[in-house]
């Protein structure tokens, strides 16, 4: 059974924010999720750190981590099968590829949430390199430190992860560190706010 | 080594965990061969109860090693330390740590070169090699070939499986055993992963398929991290108990991996000499890709014929122009239609067939996981395909000519491939079934001299056209019946039967049915021809292969027969509606209907297509339509435009070319693909260069195509510099057309800063801007 939250999140990746998608598209999303759920081989690497690594000494990580006594780095992926499936669809059916791509992102988030919920310590939201102006290049640092190759995640010359449905993140120990909407650098252009909604990062969520 | 496979032999245990007990953690354990030789010798000595000692070189290859010493110095030191234990020394070859394409960036050749370097450095000093802890079978293939091509020393190869029973790259134990047995390793098996108890099922599956001895090196259970140290959850007694069960299953070599100790290995050594009693393995005819294995198990296996340029103009053009996406698309179509394996032939009569075969194999296996039948009259092309194929292929073909068999059988032997044999020789195709049988028998006999058993042979008794040689039809069928007695599989290119006659599908289907009844097991047909696939399913139902007709009923039962998407009664959307609502399936028919009411095809473009697309774009910008709907509308318009362009006078349909590419270093291309579809829907000719495209290629395409514009895409900030370099390269080469950029990280300001002429926030605005330039 696919949760309505998962469908909703997939639709939000497709741009449906606070709007009702028609029944056909909801069905299409549900079918794509069903395929991906069977196909995925979610893998998760994580490691706890007490001391601040050099790349986290800069903003915005410094503010994000605040006075957290420790933190985790994590790296996760839906696996190579999903990657190749998405590539196949991109060649043969672009609409389905687009839907499946959005569903993959939503599924990855959900599986990561589930993994983090099992942690005995209270964790903040995930903060991924690229958020709030942090350099995307820091993905490579997390990949190197956790040895992402162990779970089948490779880096391109440009520092991007393959499979594309992979995610690298920092999580502070000590509970929620949400972004307040009015201090978010994306406030002016936020599509969620325009739809009177909020993103996963917001404390208002 | 005579005991291998007959009596249990013992490998040593974990090196890393023993180092951890003695020394603080170091980033490059291989350097300890130089800095702490006494410690390394002490550990090897502690494992002297084993038959085999593994060098401390797991990470020693030019791709992974980042230590402080010359690689050859470390290798020689490691071997000399291992020698002090007085046992056979096997050089440890571990993974490169980089992932191979397509899921990584390392090339097969680079991986091969790294292992070749290590083998050439060490082959005169060691007793053998153990390639261990591989999680990607393709990388392991590169390693095995590097060893096999540079030494005759024994080679053991092990992989790691996860809890799902697959490697990280998706290979099952059966696939691992099929590929590694075929490549001629001396023992294959599983190491690391988990404890011996959790390995039981994987070991059982390996033993059921492997034609060579099986080696097992489990961890000391599952690891956990306590007080700064990695600890494992099994006691020696628990490990030994589970190990005895593995020995009872029939493993030939046992040792330990992470967390195992000299004490444990000494106790394992008490089992040395235990007779190896394993279930007998009945060799089965099988081919496989990296993730899918096909066993010829008595059912009909459909070989898709569509990847062969003979008589296929579009495919020939694609192969000659390097448009290998087309090849991949055709492969996917055949897979979706139910093919079991695909014939791949790239013979276009010009150019380097071996190089093209290699590229084609690489491309097809990225997108389609069906096993491949490599089809060429050039042994060099067959070898190139077999080498770069991530799996075990079927080679098409040999025939009764000695020179052909001499050229092809060694390739089949080297790569463990199956071989298709044509029942013809230098005298041509014999007229009688008996003569064809005799050629088949000769092929089987000669294959046997190369160690290729009859079950790995597929005999094609050759379909001749009924219009020219009617009497030969029954000879072909009779030959099928005869050759089955040789223990081989059988093949026919079925549709050859109907050349030159009307109602070809009828003849093809009838001949297929006759051939199946005569013993045909691998028809080479177009799987997208539903009548032919229907005949195969019906044959399976009637022959009993489809037990209780389950597959047949699933395919043709009441539920399957019902229309899945009923069309609303009375609704016949016109062309504008088709585009506004993205009704792809009706777009072409609606275009034909529209043409009947308009003065000219161009009216359909200007009065229906463009206004409808403009409306779609407006609704998208207002947030009333979303990307999936925009895409469906664009695809509908693209289909409509294709119909119209065939009716428009030459030149009138051409709005100009647009070269699109995602720049070097960026692998995200869905946005660029959407732009391509939308531009095509407006009638632009899109030259899509794909993703991760070097600036030189983009410039070359721009110079050749003289486009209306170049569109570059980049999703990440890290690849914007590549975009800037590409723009500079285009300008320096004299490309004067406007260059547009787009992608998640781009803004109008950034576009201007990197030298672009235009910024396209989305596909529709890009199309509008191009139309504006035309006007």
């Amino acid at each position: 059974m696919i949760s309505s939250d998962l469908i909703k999140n997939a639709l939000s990746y497709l741009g449906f924010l606070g709007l009702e998608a028609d029944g056909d598209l909801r069905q299409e999303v549900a079918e794509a999720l069903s395929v991906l759920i069977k196909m995925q081989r979610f893998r998760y690497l994580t490691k706890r750190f007490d001391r601040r690594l050099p790349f986290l000494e800069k903003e915005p990580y410094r503010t994000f981590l605040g006075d957290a006594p420790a933190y985790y780095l994590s790296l996760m992926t839906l696996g190579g099968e999903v990657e190749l499936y998405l590539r196949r669809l991109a060649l043969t059916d672009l609409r389905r590829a687009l839907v499946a791509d959005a569903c993959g992102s939503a599924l990855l988030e959900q599986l990561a949430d589930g993994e983090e919920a099992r942690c005995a310590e209270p964790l903040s939201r995930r903060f991924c390199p690229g958020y709030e102006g942090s350099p995307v290049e820091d993905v490579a640092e997390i990949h190197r430190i956790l040895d992402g190759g162990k779970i089948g995640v490779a880096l391109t010359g440009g520092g991007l992860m393959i499979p594309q449905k992979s995610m690298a993140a920092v999580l502070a120990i000590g509970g929620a560190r949400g972004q307040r909407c009015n201090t978010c650098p994306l406030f002016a252009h936020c599509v969620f706010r325009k739809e009177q909604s909020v993103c996963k990062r917001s404390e208002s969520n | 080594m005579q005991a291998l496979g007959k009596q249990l032999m013992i490998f040593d245990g974990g090196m890393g965990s023993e180092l951890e007990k003695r020394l603080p953690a170091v980033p490059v354990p291989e350097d300890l061969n130089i800095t702490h030789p006494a410690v390394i010798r002490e550990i090897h000595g502690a494992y002297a109860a084993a038959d085999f000692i593994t060098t401390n070189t797991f990470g020693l290859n030019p791709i992974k090693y980042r230590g402080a010493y010359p690689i050859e110095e470390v290798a020689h030191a490691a071997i000399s330390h291992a020698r002090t234990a007085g046992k056979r020394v096997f050089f440890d070859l571990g993974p490169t740590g980089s992932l191979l394409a397509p899921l990584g960036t390392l090339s097969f050749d680079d991986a091969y070169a790294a292992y070749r370097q290590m083998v050439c450095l060490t082959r005169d000093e060691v007793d053998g090699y153990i390639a261990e802890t591989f999680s990607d079978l393709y990388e392991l293939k590169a390693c095995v070939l590097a060893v096999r091509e540079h030494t005759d020393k024994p080679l053991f190869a092990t992989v790691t499986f996860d809890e799902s029973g697959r490697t990280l790259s998706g290979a099952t134990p059966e696939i691992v055993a099929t590929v590694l047995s075929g490549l001629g390793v001396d023992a294959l098996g599983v190491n690391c992963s988990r404890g011996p108890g959790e390995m039981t099922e994987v070991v059982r599956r390996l033993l059921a398929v492997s034609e060579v001895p099986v080696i097992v090196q489990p961890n000391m259970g599952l690891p956990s991290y306590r007080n700064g140290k990695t600890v494992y959850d099994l006691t020696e007694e628990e490990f030994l108990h589970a190990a005895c069960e593995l020995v009872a299953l029939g493993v030939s070599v046992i040792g330990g991996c992470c967390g195992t100790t000299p004490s444990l290995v000494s106790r394992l050594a008490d089992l040395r000499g235990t007779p190896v009693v394993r279930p007998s393995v009945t060799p089965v005819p099988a081919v496989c890709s990296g993730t899918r294995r096909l066993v010829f198990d008595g059912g009909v296996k459909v070989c898709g014929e569509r990847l062969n340029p003979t008589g296929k103009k579009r495919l020939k053009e694609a192969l000659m122009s390097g448009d290998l996406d087309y090849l991949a698309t055709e492969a996917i179509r055949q897979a979706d239609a139910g093919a079991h394996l695909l014939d791949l032939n790239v013979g276009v009569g010009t150019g380097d067939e071996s190089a093209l075969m290699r590229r084609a194999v690489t491309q097809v296996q990225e997108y389609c996981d069906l096993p491949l039948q490599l089809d060429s009259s050039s042994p060099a092309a067959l070898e190139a395909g077999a080498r770069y194929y991530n799996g075990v292929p079927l080679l098409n073909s040999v025939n009764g000519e000695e020179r052909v068999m001499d050229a092809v059988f060694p390739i089949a032997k080297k790569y463990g491939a199956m071989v298709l044999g044509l029942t013809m020789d230098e005298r041509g195709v014999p007229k009688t079934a008996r003569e064809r049988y005799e050629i088949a028998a000769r092929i089987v006999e000669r294959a046997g001299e190369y160690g290729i058993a009859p079950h790995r042979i597929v005999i094609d008794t050759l379909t001749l056209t009924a219009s020219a040689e009617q009497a030969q039809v029954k000879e072909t069928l009779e030959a099928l019946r005869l050759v089955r007695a040789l223990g081989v599989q059988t093949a026919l290119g079925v549709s050859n039967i109907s050349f030159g006659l009307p109602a070809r599908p009828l003849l093809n289907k009838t001949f297929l049915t006759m051939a199946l009844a005569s013993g045909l097991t691998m028809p080479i047909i177009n799987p997208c021809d539903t009548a032919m696939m229907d005949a195969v399913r019906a044959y399976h139902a009637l022959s009993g292969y489809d037990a209780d007709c389950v597959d047949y009923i699933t395919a043709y039962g009441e539920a399957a027969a019902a229309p899945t998407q009923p069309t609303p009664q009375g609704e016949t959307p016109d062309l504008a509606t088709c585009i506004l609502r993205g009704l792809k399936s009706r777009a072409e028919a609606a275009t034909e209907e529209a043409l009947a009411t308009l003065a000219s095809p161009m009216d359909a473009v200007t009065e229906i297509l463009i206004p409808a697309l403009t409306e779609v774009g407006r609704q998208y910008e207002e947030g009333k339509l979303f990307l999936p709907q925009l895409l469906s509308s664009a695809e509908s318009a693209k289909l409509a435009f294709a119909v119209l362009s065939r009716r428009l006078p030459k030149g009138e349909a051409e709005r100009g070319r647009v070269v699109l590419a995602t720049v070097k270093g960026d692998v995200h291309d869905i946005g660029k693909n959407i732009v391509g579809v939308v531009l095509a829907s407006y009638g632009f000719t899109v030259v899509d260069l794909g993703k991760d495209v070097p600036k030189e290629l983009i410039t070359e395409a721009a110079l050749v195509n003289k486009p209306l514009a170049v569109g570059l895409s980049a999703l990440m900030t890290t690849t914007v510099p590549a975009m800037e370099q590409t723009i500079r390269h285009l300008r320096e080469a004299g490309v004067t057309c406007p260059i547009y950029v787009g992608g998640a990280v781009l803004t109008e300001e950034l576009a201007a800063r990197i030298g672009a002429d235009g910024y396209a926030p989305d596909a529709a605005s890009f199309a509008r801007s191009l139309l504006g330039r035309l006007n």
Side-chain angles (χ1 to χ4, degrees), chain B residues 12 15 44 53-58 78-79 82 89-92 126:
Chain B
D12 60 2
M15 170 61 80
H44 286 320
I53 299 294
T54 314
T55 55
N56 176 36
T57 54
F58 179 71
I79 296 166
V89 171
F90 269 39
F91 192 85
D92 192 354
V126 299

Side-chain angles (χ1 to χ4, degrees), chain B residues 502-514:
Chain B
R504 290 191 62 189
L506 175 60
L507 285 175
N508 291 344
K509 185 176 173 181
T510 306
F511 180 63
L512 173 64
T513 309
M514 294 166 75

Side-chain angles (χ1 to χ4, degrees), chain B residues 47 59 99 106 122 130 138 149 181 195 211 235 274 288 337-338 394 503 512 538 559 562 598 625 632-633 731 764:
Chain B
Y47 279 123
L99 295 168
L106 183 67
T122 58
I130 178 156
Y138 198 34
E149 291 178 352
S181 292
E211 296 177 34
T235 63
T274 305
C288 68
L394 170 56
L512 173 64
L598 292 166
L625 285 183
S632 292
S633 293
R731 292 296 181 233

Side-chain angles (χ1 to χ4, degrees), chain A residues 6-60:
Chain A
L6 183 55
I7 293 176
K8 185 179 156 199
N9 289 339
L11 286 166
S12 77
Y13 275 107
L14 286 167
F16 288 82
L17 302 167
L19 292 177
E20 273 301 306
D22 63 48
D24 285 352
L25 186 59
R26 285 185 72 85
Q27 180 64 25
E28 210 174 324
V29 165
E31 284 171 9
L33 282 168
S34 171
V35 170
L36 292 175
I37 286 167
K38 280 189 204 134
M39 187 178 288
Q40 58 81 20
R41 287 208 288 156
F42 179 71
R43 291 163 189 275
Y44 190 90
L45 286 174
T46 192
K47 192 171 178 184
R48 191 180 191 277
F49 293 85
D50 297 325
R51 292 224 306 248
R52 210 59 64 88
L53 290 165
F55 85 96
L56 297 173
E57 292 291 357
K58 59 182 178 282
E59 291 295 351

Side-chain angles (χ1 to χ4, degrees), chain A residues 13-17 19-22 24-25 28 41-43 47 79-81 83-85 87-99 101 129 134-137 139 143 147-164 195, chain B residues 64 97 99 102-105 135 162-164 166-171 225 291 324-326 328-329 332-333 336 363 365-369 582 584 623 625-632 635 664-670 673-675 677 691 715-719:
Chain A
Y13 275 107
L14 286 167
F16 288 82
L17 302 167
L19 292 177
E20 273 301 306
D22 63 48
D24 285 352
L25 186 59
E28 210 174 324
R41 287 208 288 156
F42 179 71
R43 291 163 189 275
K47 192 171 178 184
E81 287 87 344
E83 170 72 13
L84 297 179
Y85 174 68
R87 290 186 197 181
R88 270 200 300 278
L89 282 183
L91 264 191
T92 55
D93 190 333
L94 202 45
R95 177 180 164 124
R96 279 180 69 205
L98 185 69
V99 170
D101 189 86
S134 58
V136 180
E137 290 89 332
V139 165
H143 183 274
D147 191 5
K150 281 198 296 198
I151 57 169
V153 177
L155 283 183
T156 67
L160 309 181
M161 285 187 283
I162 313 175
Q164 290 183 53
E195 300 293 342
Chain B
K64 187 170 188 182
L99 295 168
L103 286 174
T105 53
S135 56
D162 66 14
E163 60 282 357
S164 73
R166 284 181 177 259
T167 65
L168 193 59
S169 61
Y225 199 66
T291 53
L324 297 183
D325 277 357
Y326 180 79
T329 307
I332 295 166
R333 281 184 60 223
D336 290 346
Q363 177 81 355
Q365 71 186 359
E366 176 177 346
Y367 289 97
C368 177
D369 66 353
K584 281 188 286 184
L625 285 183
F626 294 89
L627 260 182
Q629 292 129 319
L630 174 73
L631 206 47
S632 292
E635 287 181 329
K664 182 71 185 165
D666 203 323
V667 293
H668 300 85
D669 68 348
I670 201 159
N673 293 343
I674 291 166
V675 169
V677 171
K691 62 196 173 196
L715 195 77
M716 311 294 277
T717 49
T718 48
T719 48

